[in-house]
Amino acid sequence: MAFYFQKTYRPEIEQLLRQYYQSLSEKDRRRFAALEAIKLGHGGTRYIAKILGCDPQTVKDGMRELKQLPDDPAGSRVRKPGGGRKKTEVKHADLTHQVQETIKNRTAGDPMRQNVLWTDLTPQEIAKSLQEQSVCAAPRIVRRILDGLGLARRQIAKVLPGGDSPHRGAQFRHLAQVIQEFLDAGNPVLSIDTKKKEFLGTLYRDGKVYGSATQGMLRT
């Protein structure tokens, strides 16, 4: 009987899947991705490919190989991690730096936990910003770079409407300009969070942001 993919994994499970996937050989990656997609049913191939950062065709190739087991079409040939075509961020070493530059004025942290860093920009928004700088990087590549930087999606803790201001973008651009002027003049720039962990009314937004994988629920 056919079954259908209904619900995505929790962010922390997605992160574990990505970490385990990266530890496997190329052959085992295909088959692991295929097995996870089969377990999820309809829609699982595209979802698994998205969270693992691989091509849907790779998942389909793995499914085809699984059907031939125990006769292994690849035999004893196993590529170790790092074999085959290099990732975009490896071939273009400055791409990670360009992503960091794109999000540097849209990041924040937790004063109580120095290893917590997050950005409210999505991979799609970052990819679009890079494209405007004549840098081609698909959202899945950006997502992989964010993972490598220790940033993973997290659910914001409190659900309250934050409202929509047409001047929000201008505020960020103004802050970025002032910060750069201070840095160019050799002056220090301090980012101070005065609220710590107190609840301050409507300072929370519904939705998800990218934060370090070691943190729990995020507060904006």
Side-chain angles (χ1 to χ4, degrees), residues 35-213:
L35 188 59
E36 287 296 319
I38 292 171
K39 285 162 54 179
L40 291 172
H42 180 73
T45 296
R46 185 174 297 276
Y47 170 65
I48 287 296
K50 180 179 178 181
I51 67 171
L52 296 181
C54 65
D55 193 291
Q57 186 58 47
T58 299
V59 183
K60 294 175 183 177
D61 291 343
M63 290 179 177
R64 186 171 59 254
E65 292 180 10
L66 287 177
K67 290 179 181 178
Q68 299 179 56
L69 294 177
D71 295 326
D72 191 344
S76 59
R77 292 180 290 110
V78 178
R79 280 184 179 170
K80 295 180 180 179
R85 186 174 60 184
K86 293 185 181 298
K87 295 179 179 178
T88 303
E89 60 269 32
V90 174
K91 291 190 293 183
H92 304 281
D94 58 340
L95 182 56
T96 297
H97 175 70
Q98 288 168 321
V99 170
Q100 290 175 306
E101 284 294 303
T102 300
I103 67 174
K104 72 176 183 179
N105 294 322
R106 297 292 292 271
T107 59
D110 189 328
M112 308 301 291
R113 292 177 292 173
Q114 304 239 336
N115 61 336
V116 171
L117 183 69
W118 58 271
T119 177
D120 63 339
L121 291 176
T122 66
Q124 290 77 13
E125 291 171 332
I126 296 172
K128 182 178 179 181
S129 178
L130 290 171
Q131 187 175 15
E132 292 171 353
Q133 304 170 49
S134 300
V135 178
C136 183
R140 65 180 178 83
I141 297 174
V142 173
R143 186 178 296 106
R144 196 165 62 214
I145 292 174
L146 291 174
D147 287 343
L149 294 172
L151 299 172
R153 280 191 94 187
R154 287 293 181 270
Q155 181 72 43
I156 295 175
K158 188 176 179 182
V159 180
L160 283 178
D164 185 17
S165 170
H167 307 297
R168 182 173 178 81
Q171 291 174 350
F172 278 109
R173 288 192 294 271
H174 174 69
L175 286 173
Q177 179 181 347
V178 172
I179 289 171
Q180 194 60 51
E181 289 175 356
F182 270 70
L183 292 175
D184 291 342
N187 295 317
V189 175
L190 302 178
S191 176
I192 301 174
D193 189 332
T194 59
K195 71 180 188 309
K196 290 188 178 179
K197 295 181 179 298
E198 289 83 359
F199 294 98
L200 294 181
T202 58
L203 292 183
Y204 296 84
R205 294 187 299 114
D206 187 15
K208 294 180 179 179
V209 294
Y210 268 79
S212 67

